[in-house]
């Protein structure tokens, strides 16, 4: 069963912003920008596997990422082109802001 990935045009910008408002999710997005597609299990930001899965689900359902199966792994990638087309400059603005972690 493939995970639900909404058409980005159906996602309100407030949903995208809410997904990016969490520090762990923002770290995941930054990692995807820097490293490209990655296995779900490769994100280690000091949270449990269940919490990591929750954060990845929030990003996917907000239209920020796509997930694909590769054998027994799930690979995640950022929907950067779509995001930049629909919300020009948004991702760059959010990513240029540093958190106080």
């Amino acid at each position: 069963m493939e995970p639900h990935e909404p058409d980005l045009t159906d996602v309100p910008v407030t949903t995208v912003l809410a997904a990016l408002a969490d520090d762990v999710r923002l770290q995941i997005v930054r990692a995807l920008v820097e490293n490209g597609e990655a296995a779900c299990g490769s994100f280690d930001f000091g949270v449990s596997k269940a919490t990591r899965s929750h954060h990845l689900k929030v990003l996917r359902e907000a239209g920020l990422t796509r997930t694909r199966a590769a054998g027994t792994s799930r690979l995640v990638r950022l929907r950067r082109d779509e995001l930049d087309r629909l919300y020009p400059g948004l991702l760059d603005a959010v990513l240029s802001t540093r958190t106080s972690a």
Side-chain angles (χ1 to χ4, degrees):
M1 183 170 145
E2 290 297 314
H4 172 69
E5 294 174 345
D7 185 324
L8 200 50
T9 59
D10 295 335
V11 178
V13 69
T14 53
T15 301
V16 173
L17 290 170
L20 292 170
D22 181 88
D23 287 338
V24 172
R25 291 192 290 268
L26 194 52
Q27 288 178 61
I28 291 170
V29 170
R30 279 194 174 109
L32 291 171
V33 167
E34 292 173 14
N35 305 316
E37 187 176 63
C40 292
S42 68
F43 301 106
D44 183 18
F45 299 113
V47 297
S48 69
K49 181 179 177 182
T51 300
R52 181 180 59 224
S53 292
H54 166 74
H55 286 306
L56 290 167
K57 178 182 176 186
V58 170
L59 290 170
R60 186 182 68 247
E61 290 180 349
L64 289 156
T65 62
R66 287 212 184 273
T67 304
R68 71 178 178 91
T72 58
S73 296
R74 297 289 177 262
L75 301 175
V76 180
R77 69 175 173 84
L78 191 62
R79 295 170 69 176
R80 182 72 192 245
D81 290 342
E82 295 171 77
L83 287 161
D84 287 346
R85 194 170 29 259
L86 194 57
Y87 305 119
L90 174 68
L91 205 50
D92 288 333
V94 170
L95 293 173
S96 69
T97 304
R98 283 292 185 208
T99 60
S100 58

